[in-house]
Amino acid sequence: MRLLVSTRFNVGLFLFFSAVCALGSVVPQEPDSAQAAARFLEAWPRLGGLLSASGCFDLYHSWWFAALLGLLALDVALCKLRRPPPGSDPWEGLLGGPRAGGDAAALDLARPELRKKSLYAVCDRAGGGEGIGRLLEGFAAEGWRLSPVAEAPGAVEAGGRASEAPSGALAWVADRGSAQRWGSLVSHAAIVVVFAAGLAGRLLGFSEMIEVSEGRTAPMRHRPWTIALDRFTVEHYEKDGRPKLFASELRIMDGPLEVGRKRVVVNDPLDVGGVRFYQSSWGVAEDFAAVKISAAGEERVLRPGVEARLPGTRASVTAERFMPDFDVVDGRPANKSSEAIHPALRVRLKRPGKPAETLWVLNDMPDAALAEGPDGSVEAAPPPPFRVLGVQPRLFSGIEVGYDPGYRFMLAGFGAWVAGLVLLFGVHRRRVWVVCSESDGALRCELAGWSLRGDHAFHAEFDRLAGRARSALASAGAAVEGGGRGGA
Amino acid sequence: MELTLFAPAAVLYGVAAALAFVYLFSRDERWSLWALRLLAAGVAFHLASFGLRMADFWAIPENRWFLPVNSFYGALSFLALSVAAVALAVERGHRLGILGAFVLPWAALAAGGALWRAASLGSTEVAGLVPALRSYWMNIHPAVLMVAYAAFSNAAGVGVALLIQDGQIKSRRPTGLCYRLPAIAVLDDLCHRINAAGFLLLTVGIIMGGIWAYGAWGRFWGWDPKETWSLITAVVYAAYLHLRYVKGWRGRRAVYMSLAGFACVCFTFIGVNFLSGLHGYLSGR
């Protein structure tokens, strides 16, 4: 436990976590870079084997990376549980650690420490303690929260109670920017909330990618709903051909009941009871709406699965299947991508006196064809008695469907995180101790300052406060002595 | 036309950095004054060129009301402007004069990089925004991160000044430079404060990116290399802040940690472009 909350361990854990993340950014990650991972394994078989065995090709989803994230979250929580925000110890910044003997004894301990501070000033006044009230009013007027060091029985001065030390001194502590001390706790607690919200989303939520062609429906796995894509629009910039817009007109059906409808574009999802439908991707489906062919100088339009007579012959043809990026893998037809790079059409050709043939006709190679056998294998065949003039493929829309019950907690965590950091870095916490004592009819007030940002950051303000304190005492009577390091 | 205004801005940043460097070894205040004047003139030219870029960018209807930082040139130009503006703000707040020599080279480097990019492509990369970038986050998320990077570059410059001053003080024969540079405590406090501001902005920028990603793709985090390296940068700066706040690290040791963070910033901005598809300015995706 002591190890887990030590700063050395924490910083070591941070740096180890950073190194692991960096490793994941340079080693190809599956499934997105599966081919790159395979090439890596081929190029460096020993190193690749080691990385593969340790799950580094899918590092961010490996069990040990999840455990590392869990350790980080646990560590953050433990640190804040073990080190609560600084309490109301009036001597924080001056005396360290637990002390015995009560506030009066602490004041006696503190007085020599005050004099060691680089922000230190002394104001003296002859004729008693009437000036203390004015000195304290000066602090209050500048927005300082002034409090007596303790509720000790003893002197009541200038409307404020102060502790009375054995030495007869009275002490106050003036604080400014105290809210800063909550910044660390709030920001660290927020990190734990963010981790928990992420975990809730992972365990209780779901995510699925659904590809649906225009005019078709597709079922969801995690809800008894179907997604209907009524219309899909894609537009490109004329200048460079980059996508300008892609939009899906979606209907979400729960049986016969429509539960949601929207034209979904990137950055503007459809929300149905917390289940969100995002426009994620698009491509050319293995599906087509129509094919235009020509034979004997005449053109015909083929519809999917509808047999048509070839002009000028007694043969008939049926368009059955479409692949946008045709290839032959292990002797069988295969589609390589969802882009129309090598479009190909499978047709069933019936000629009188011949058995029916299944042919693959390639759009970019009109004088060639491949015959598909009953076992699915293909071999070269003579060209068919027609030419494919064009295929009107169907586009599919990639809809990312997600449900994340931790979403609102995540947003709350983010908000608290930022608020905590603003408190932590934006608020300047500083403190001034004021210790006054009387001897031989003369009043002596000692001021010492402390700032979380260091003495340099508080120097000018402390000097001004010390100057005001001297003026306050002087205005109540004749100041006999002034000075000190802070006021020099 | 945009480059006609941007090239002088880049040159002015370079000359201002050179004058600030001369001021390091001179007792003549005029060098510092002229460095500041040239920096201000550079920022004015830069703002004018950025205005023209906005006009070109907004000529594409889909780009209207968005910041033109979706290309490497645009991002470098915006970064140079941010570094120069943060340097002016720090100088205005602290009137140290001497820091220009350590901070302005970053602005000159970023502007020079943008010029090199424009020259190598023959254009200033004004193109239509792809659908994922057409979001109001486009105006906030990159801008906040650029200002964070600018803050870190300023802190790195201050850190280098601290290392030099520390070396001077510890050496048996301190040169005149020792008397020109601010005290170690001043530099240390300034470095820490700029880094803390940068860390806050970096965290806010990363969170904004997460919220944007959730609105666009339904996930807060995807372990894209840019996201990953932004997180690494934040974690390294978090380590720096913890060491400073809890372990009381000051001076040289703290600066080394801060410079390690800045190395991560550089990799996040430049190096990751060769790894990231989602955020890759140079991948063409």
Side-chain angles (χ1 to χ4, degrees):
Chain A
M1 181 69 87
R2 189 172 292 172
L3 174 73
L4 278 177
V5 297
S6 77
T7 309
R8 191 175 294 234
F9 177 80
N10 277 300
V11 170
L13 188 62
F14 284 1
L15 298 181
F16 177 69
F17 175 72
S18 300
V20 168
C21 289
L23 178 69
S25 72
V26 291
V27 172
Q29 295 295 298
E30 293 172 325
D32 292 346
S33 305
Q35 289 182 339
R39 283 198 301 272
F40 189 99
L41 271 166
E42 203 174 293
W44 293 288
R46 288 185 68 179
L47 177 62
L50 192 68
L51 292 173
S52 180
S54 55
C56 286
F57 286 116
D58 193 12
L59 189 149
Y60 303 118
H61 302 105
S62 65
W63 65 267
W64 61 268
F65 189 76
L68 183 60
L69 283 173
L71 180 62
L72 268 172
L74 177 72
D75 197 37
V76 169
L78 283 178
C79 280
K80 287 299 120 182
L81 286 174
R82 281 287 294 264
R83 290 195 203 125
S88 54
D89 178 6
W91 302 112
E92 188 212 342
L94 193 69
L95 300 175
R99 294 174 298 275
D103 298 310
L107 177 56
D108 268 355
L109 279 175
R111 290 185 73 185
E113 295 300 319
L114 291 178
R115 290 160 198 157
K116 293 178 191 167
K117 301 289 281 184
S118 66
L119 299 179
Y120 175 76
V122 180
C123 324
D124 284 347
R125 195 180 85 76
E130 297 84 27
I132 296 178
R134 200 165 288 177
L135 184 152
L136 298 178
E137 280 166 17
F139 275 91
E142 289 209 9
W144 287 78
R145 193 167 56 84
L146 200 67
S147 49
V149 162
E151 295 275 336
V156 176
E157 179 71 28
R161 280 176 296 174
S163 73
E164 190 170 28
S167 54
L170 304 167
W172 290 265
V173 61
D175 282 300
R176 206 151 181 200
S178 307
Q180 188 273 345
R181 65 197 170 96
W182 292 100
S184 175
L185 180 72
V186 172
S187 57
H188 284 79
I191 292 172
V192 177
V193 171
V194 166
F195 270 111
L199 191 65
R202 193 85 182 258
L203 296 179
L204 306 174
F206 66 81
S207 166
E208 60 180 294
M209 169 64 95
I210 295 173
E211 291 180 357
V212 53
S213 299
E214 196 176 23
R216 313 259 188 210
T217 61
M220 277 179 65
R221 275 187 289 122
H222 292 88
R223 288 282 188 277
W225 297 346
T226 52
I227 300 178
L229 177 62
D230 291 336
R231 185 174 159 79
F232 180 69
T233 313
V234 59
E235 292 174 17
H236 295 88
Y237 289 106
E238 282 181 18
K239 189 178 167 187
D240 53 15
R242 294 203 302 172
K244 182 163 72 174
L245 170 83
F246 45 112
S248 299
E249 289 178 21
L250 292 184
R251 275 182 298 119
I252 312 302
M253 307 299 294
D254 183 359
L257 189 69
E258 183 181 301
V259 292
R261 174 196 282 263
K262 187 173 179 178
R263 182 174 186 260
V264 175
V265 295
V266 185
N267 288 311
D268 188 16
L270 162 65
D271 191 323
V272 181
V275 180
R276 289 159 72 103
F277 298 80
Y278 298 88
Q279 179 66 70
S280 175
S281 61
W282 61 277
V284 181
E286 290 185 45
D287 193 1
F288 64 99
V291 180
K292 190 186 276 188
I293 61 168
S294 77
E298 285 186 45
E299 292 182 0
R300 285 275 189 282
V301 173
L302 306 181
R303 300 288 170 191
V306 179
E307 190 172 320
R309 175 68 57 90
L310 281 175
T313 69
R314 291 170 58 206
S316 65
V317 64
T318 311
E320 293 181 326
R321 203 176 158 195
F322 172 73
M323 285 189 185
D325 192 9
F326 180 86
D327 197 6
V328 177
V329 178
D330 298 330
R332 291 166 191 275
N335 186 40
K336 282 191 345 191
S337 74
S338 55
E339 291 178 55
I341 297 171
H342 297 298
L345 187 72
R346 192 176 78 179
V347 296
R348 190 158 179 81
L349 184 64
K350 288 182 186 169
R351 287 188 263 208
K354 287 186 176 179
E357 299 167 80
T358 302
L359 296 176
W360 280 98
V361 187
L362 309 177
N363 243 25
D364 45 1
M365 296 172 70
D367 297 326
L370 294 167
E372 184 177 309
D375 62 345
S377 64
V378 290
E379 57 184 29
F386 62 88
R387 292 178 82 98
V388 176
L389 297 178
V391 181
Q392 187 187 335
R394 285 186 192 277
L395 299 179
F396 74 82
S397 176
I399 304 295
E400 179 82 37
V401 187
Y403 171 65
D404 184 354
Y407 168 66
R408 291 183 195 286
F409 293 101
M410 186 71 87
L411 290 187
F414 285 160
W417 195 350
V418 173
L421 289 180
V422 168
L423 280 179
L424 191 59
F425 300 125
V427 178
H428 183 189
R429 183 153 64 100
R430 59 254 197 235
R431 167 169 279 184
V432 177
W433 293 274
V434 182
V435 177
C436 297
S437 55
E438 273 188 67
S439 64
D440 301 331
L443 173 70
R444 163 163 285 203
C445 286
E446 294 169 274
L447 275 67
W450 169 85
S451 155
L452 188 74
R453 293 180 183 170
D455 291 344
H456 164 74
F458 187 36
H459 196 279
E461 190 179 3
F462 181 81
D463 280 356
R464 193 166 43 76
L465 283 169
R468 283 190 71 147
R470 280 193 203 96
S471 304
L473 286 194
S475 64
V480 294
E481 190 189 334
R485 284 187 294 278
Chain B
M1 185 63 185
E2 180 194 343
L3 277 178
T4 313
L5 289 171
F6 181 68
V11 171
L12 284 167
Y13 290 155
V15 177
L19 292 187
F21 197 74
V22 172
Y23 176 65
L24 268 186
F25 301 96
S26 156
R27 287 175 182 272
D28 192 338
E29 291 297 323
R30 281 178 302 178
W31 292 113
S32 169
L33 192 63
W34 274 103
L36 271 178
R37 283 176 181 163
L38 292 185
L39 176 64
V43 169
F45 269 97
H46 201 150
L47 281 172
S49 81
F50 202 75
L52 286 178
R53 179 172 181 77
M54 294 275 267
D56 277 355
F57 194 69
W58 288 3
I60 301 171
E62 286 74 18
N63 292 356
R64 196 150 299 159
W65 312 120
F66 293 115
L67 277 178
V69 292
N70 60 323
S71 65
F72 196 41
Y73 168 84
L76 275 170
S77 167
F78 193 80
L79 180 67
L81 185 60
S82 304
V83 173
V86 171
L88 270 180
V90 170
E91 187 54 44
R92 188 182 159 82
H94 296 271
R95 300 195 185 283
L96 296 173
I98 209 82
L99 292 178
F102 304 98
V103 169
L104 295 186
W106 301 121
L109 262 178
L115 270 184
W116 163 81
R117 176 73 177 169
S120 61
L121 290 181
S123 82
T124 51
E125 296 190 272
V126 173
L129 287 171
V130 294
L133 297 182
R134 288 217 303 275
S135 159
Y136 57 89
W137 288 114
M138 180 69 190
N139 287 342
I140 314 171
H141 164 67
V144 167
L145 286 172
M146 295 287 181
V147 177
Y149 294 167
F152 289 136
S153 66
N154 273 264
V158 175
V160 170
L162 186 150
L163 291 180
I164 293 172
Q165 181 67 307
D166 192 56
Q168 289 280 320
I169 288 170
K170 285 177 181 163
S171 76
R172 290 185 178 179
R173 292 180 187 169
T175 65
L177 195 58
C178 185
Y179 304 100
R180 308 291 292 139
L181 287 168
I184 295 270
V186 174
L187 292 168
D188 187 70
D189 177 54
L190 188 58
C191 182
H192 154 247
R193 285 169 69 177
I194 301 175
N195 273 332
F199 178 74
L200 173 63
L201 289 170
L202 178 68
T203 308
V204 170
I206 291 173
I207 287 174
M208 285 173 168
I211 297 173
W212 184 2
Y214 187 79
W217 301 296
R219 51 130 184 101
F220 287 101
W221 198 259
W223 295 109
D224 168 77
K226 189 85 163 186
E227 295 171 0
T228 305
W229 274 92
S230 298
L231 180 66
I232 291 170
T233 305
V235 169
V236 171
Y237 276 107
Y240 159 81
L241 291 166
H242 276 84
L243 287 169
R244 190 183 161 87
Y245 277 74
V246 185
K247 296 294 277 184
W249 277 28
R250 296 284 189 278
R252 184 174 279 270
R253 282 195 304 178
V255 167
Y256 286 144
M257 200 68 200
S258 161
L259 290 177
F262 185 61
C264 293
V265 170
C266 293
F267 191 79
T268 305
F269 188 73
I270 308 281
V272 165
N273 287 301
F274 300 98
L275 300 174
S276 175
L278 190 65
H279 288 90
Y281 290 124
L282 304 180
S283 66
R285 283 174 281 181

